[in-house]
Amino acid sequence: MGILISIIIGIIAGFLAGKIFRGAGFGLIVNLIVGVVGSVIGGWVFGLLGLAINGILGTIIMSTIGALLLLWIISLFRNV
């Protein structure tokens, strides 16, 4: 059950990151995939910084930040 919730949170984070990062233009499906991967990246970055997140809302915020970071990195390579 935990993996399913993580995927759903990642999808929500990808959707939110796609709305926030308007210049990306990657499309809905890619943004959702980026959200799932960004969720993992967000957890890793927050862990490196020593920040602890509790609750679903905190997890969505952390995942969205990770997805935004990933979208930013992808846009750097896309414009090259």
Side-chain angles (χ1 to χ4, degrees):
M1 191 72 155
I3 292 175
L4 181 62
I5 292 173
S6 296
I7 291 171
I8 291 171
I9 288 174
I11 289 171
I12 292 169
F15 176 76
L16 292 173
K19 293 296 180 185
I20 294 170
F21 200 87
R22 290 194 180 262
F26 294 114
L28 181 64
I29 301 297
V30 174
N31 285 345
L32 297 180
I33 293 170
V34 164
V36 173
V37 175
S39 178
V40 173
I41 291 173
W44 178 68
V45 169
F46 274 52
L48 285 177
L49 296 174
L51 300 173
I53 297 297
N54 294 326
I56 292 179
L57 184 60
T59 306
I60 290 173
I61 292 170
M62 176 193 65
S63 300
T64 303
I65 291 171
L68 284 170
L69 180 64
L70 185 59
L71 281 175
W72 177 69
I73 291 170
I74 290 172
S75 71
L76 289 177
F77 288 108
R78 184 177 180 207
N79 292 333
V80 170

